[in-house]
């Protein structure tokens, strides 16, 4: 039995499987803009974490 995270958010593979490549690219562009122009340190950190999370999703191995 697979253990769920405490936050209840989907795992990387579950969410990545539901996104198209165009959606992934759009989200990456949005996060890049937010990381470069974010107002607070916490906001920039959140964008950066999302970028790190989305990076492997571009790889066709995940598709």
């Amino acid at each position: 039995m697979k253990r769920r995270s405490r936050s209840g958010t989907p795992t990387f593979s579950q969410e990545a499987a539901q996104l198209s490549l165009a959606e992934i690219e759009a989200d990456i562009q949005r996060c890049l803009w937010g990381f470069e122009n974010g107002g607070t340190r916490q906001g920039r950190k959140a964008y950066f974490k999302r970028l790190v999370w989305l990076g492997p999703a571009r790889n066709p191995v995940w598709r």
Side-chain angles (χ1 to χ4, degrees), residues 41-58:
R41 182 175 59 189
Q42 291 87 2
R44 289 189 305 272
K45 184 178 179 182
Y47 281 120
F48 183 76
K49 287 174 90 173
R50 181 78 175 170
L51 281 169
V52 169
W53 188 86
L54 284 168
R58 278 197 222 174

Side-chain angles (χ1 to χ4, degrees), residues 2 9-19 53 57 61-63:
K2 196 171 194 178
T9 58
T11 64
F12 174 76
S13 58
Q14 289 172 338
E15 189 173 328
Q18 296 174 355
L19 297 174
W53 188 86
V61 173
W62 288 95
R63 302 233 146 255

Side-chain angles (χ1 to χ4, degrees), residues 33-45:
W33 186 91
F35 175 70
E36 293 170 354
N37 301 305
T40 64
R41 182 175 59 189
Q42 291 87 2
R44 289 189 305 272
K45 184 178 179 182

